[in-house]
Amino acid sequence: EKGKWIIQGAADNLHLPDGNIDVGNSGSLLYFLTPVLSTLKGECIFTGDESICKRPVSHLIDALQQMGAQAKCLKNKDCPPFSFCGPITSKKILNTEGKLSQYISGFMMASSKMDGELQINLSNPQETPYLTMTQTVLKEVGIESTISTDYKKINVKCGKKIEGFKTTIASDWEGVAFPLVAALVSGSSIKIENIDFSGTQGDDKIVEVLQSVGAKITCDKENKCLIVESSGGTECFSTKKCPGGVLTVDISSFPDAICAVSAFACFIDGKIVITNAEICRKKETDRITAMKTELSKIGAVVEEKDDSLIIYGTKNGENLHGAQIESYKDHRIAMAFASISLGLKAGESVIINDGECANVSFPDFYETMNKLGAGFVTI
């Protein structure tokens, strides 16, 4: 049945594969699966595509070593491919930075294959809504945990055998973000259905950010939909109502939204500062540098700092023009510039190299947008 997956769990028969695990372009798979498989005896090697093999994993290697596994990078001292040899049974306390949430979630998931209690101490936790999301999902399958209010201490009760269960996967707010931005910059009115209003996804904060500069977005929680009302243009979007006339967006709790927020910022009259974005340099690509470089190609005025992106937007994006853009094979960058293109002046167009990478998180993105009249074409 379309939209339904039936998964037969391996239970006690879970084992390491005969060969390497190639995660392709999926950082989530790498970070979630590595801690789980490290609870098993034997050696395992993880690798991925060109992008994955440039992503630093020193924090993950250190965490595995702390937990008793032998782990090392095989080619580059800080990037995949890497190997580890478990099981991680010697220690139950993990001290790590925690700027990236995925490997923390991975160790929380791995707790079902461990004994006793796992204590995770984070010195600089970010992407914290994803930790709460992990806690919620684990509770649904009987794994109890506690997270301190500052997210610096996580305790998970280990050894709970997971029984079969049924669940509904919530819609992805990052999938919502780009049609939402596309509608606003093109002056379109749309309704986006099947929205997750549970509050477990930090990425829903993008609605609040957009509303703060004048976007007319209605959250219909009863019918689970977002309604975007056209203003006929983007001239109403301004930072004038923001403190000091500057829109400051602390992106630390929803860093995956940096591409969507940057795209919309180009059409806001005023200064937009996206802060606490350092972790964005460790995603599919360095998204701070990539967005600065590519936004500059279309005429946007952008400054790059170590952990922030500053964009000087204009009404209706009047300084923007068409250009050929590199996506860096990053799905969110591709969708960001596809959305921007819909707000450009008549006759201007954007060519996105390797734009098909959008399929990583939003299969049929261009086809879906074309059904709304976008007019994307493959060349």
Side-chain angles (χ1 to χ4, degrees):
E1 181 180 340
K2 186 176 181 181
K4 180 181 291 185
W5 286 32
I6 300 176
I7 302 170
Q8 299 292 340
D12 294 335
N13 294 321
L14 186 68
H15 60 82
L16 298 178
D18 293 329
N20 300 345
I21 295 180
D22 187 338
V23 301
N25 189 246
S26 178
S28 297
L29 181 57
L30 184 150
Y31 286 120
F32 292 160
L33 195 55
T34 295
V36 173
L37 294 185
S38 70
T39 64
L40 304 177
K41 185 177 180 180
E43 184 179 24
C44 188
I45 296 176
F46 268 74
T47 188
D49 66 5
E50 181 181 1
S51 174
I52 284 291
C53 289
K54 292 180 180 178
R55 296 179 73 168
V57 292
S58 57
H59 50 292
L60 175 60
I61 297 298
D62 177 69
L64 290 168
Q65 292 173 343
Q66 283 189 53
M67 297 296 289
Q70 299 176 25
K72 62 181 179 180
C73 293
L74 300 178
K75 293 183 179 180
N76 184 304
K77 66 178 181 179
D78 192 32
C79 300
F82 64 87
S83 69
F84 59 89
C85 188
I88 53 170
T89 56
S90 63
K91 293 184 179 180
K92 294 299 190 311
I93 298 178
L94 173 60
N95 298 304
T96 188
E97 189 177 54
K99 283 185 178 180
L100 184 71
S101 68
Q102 291 170 316
Y103 74 109
I104 307 303
S105 293
F107 280 104
M108 293 174 69
M109 295 175 193
S111 65
S112 67
K113 306 291 290 183
M114 301 168 65
D115 297 320
E117 183 170 287
L118 173 63
Q119 179 177 317
I120 304 174
N121 300 317
L122 305 180
S123 61
N124 188 15
Q126 296 186 21
E127 302 187 324
T128 52
Y130 303 135
L131 299 178
T132 302
M133 188 188 305
T134 303
Q135 181 186 39
T136 301
V137 172
L138 291 178
K139 185 176 182 179
E140 290 178 359
V141 296
I143 298 176
E144 295 295 329
S145 63
T146 60
I147 301 178
S148 63
T149 55
D150 61 3
Y151 287 90
K152 289 188 174 182
K153 182 167 288 188
I154 301 172
N155 288 83
V156 188
K157 292 184 178 180
C158 304
K160 169 66 178 180
K161 184 177 181 180
I162 300 176
E163 305 291 342
F165 62 93
K166 293 182 180 180
T167 189
T168 299
I169 305 300
S171 60
D172 181 13
W173 264 95
E174 280 304 312
V176 173
F178 295 104
L180 175 59
V181 169
L184 291 171
V185 303
S186 63
S188 304
S189 295
I190 65 169
K191 179 168 71 173
I192 306 175
E193 300 177 329
N194 298 318
I195 300 295
D196 173 29
F197 286 115
S198 67
T200 59
Q201 297 187 54
D203 303 78
D204 60 3
K205 187 175 176 62
I206 192 171
V207 171
E208 178 185 326
V209 171
L210 301 181
Q211 288 175 329
S212 71
V213 290
K216 296 182 180 179
I217 306 170
T218 301
C219 298
D220 184 348
K221 296 183 178 181
E222 182 177 352
N223 295 303
K224 297 182 178 181
C225 65
L226 280 182
I227 300 172
V228 182
E229 298 178 53
S230 171
S231 62
T234 60
E235 66 275 356
C236 65
F237 302 139
S238 173
T239 63
K240 291 180 180 178
K241 294 182 179 180
C242 302
V246 177
L247 172 63
T248 301
V249 182
D250 184 340
I251 207 78
S252 61
S253 64
F254 61 122
D256 285 341
I258 189 171
C259 298
V261 172
S262 298
F264 185 69
C266 296
F267 297 85
I268 301 172
D269 184 20
K271 182 179 179 180
I272 300 88
V273 181
I274 303 173
T275 65
N276 291 322
E278 183 184 1
I279 193 63
C280 299
R281 295 190 183 278
K282 298 179 181 180
K283 298 292 184 176
E284 281 77 348
T285 188
D286 180 340
R287 286 177 174 160
I288 294 179
T289 294
M291 290 303 292
K292 192 267 184 182
T293 301
E294 304 308 314
L295 286 173
S296 297
K297 289 181 181 179
I298 63 170
V301 179
V302 185
E303 294 179 17
E304 173 187 352
K305 304 293 183 181
D306 288 343
D307 68 345
S308 61
L309 200 61
I310 303 171
I311 301 170
Y312 297 88
T314 56
K315 289 183 179 179
N316 293 318
E318 59 188 23
N319 59 327
L320 304 181
H321 53 74
Q324 186 162 333
I325 299 300
E326 293 296 333
S327 69
Y328 305 89
K329 297 183 180 179
D330 185 326
H331 52 127
R332 304 204 198 283
I333 291 178
M335 289 187 284
F337 280 93
S339 300
I340 287 173
S341 70
L342 300 177
L344 298 182
K345 303 179 186 70
E348 298 287 346
S349 61
V350 172
I351 298 174
I352 305 170
N353 294 334
D354 298 309
E356 68 277 4
C357 64
N359 289 327
V360 167
S361 63
F362 198 145
D364 302 321
F365 169 73
Y366 302 106
E367 292 83 353
T368 300
M369 297 301 292
N370 281 346
K371 290 178 181 179
L372 299 174
F376 294 124
V377 295
T378 301
I379 58 174

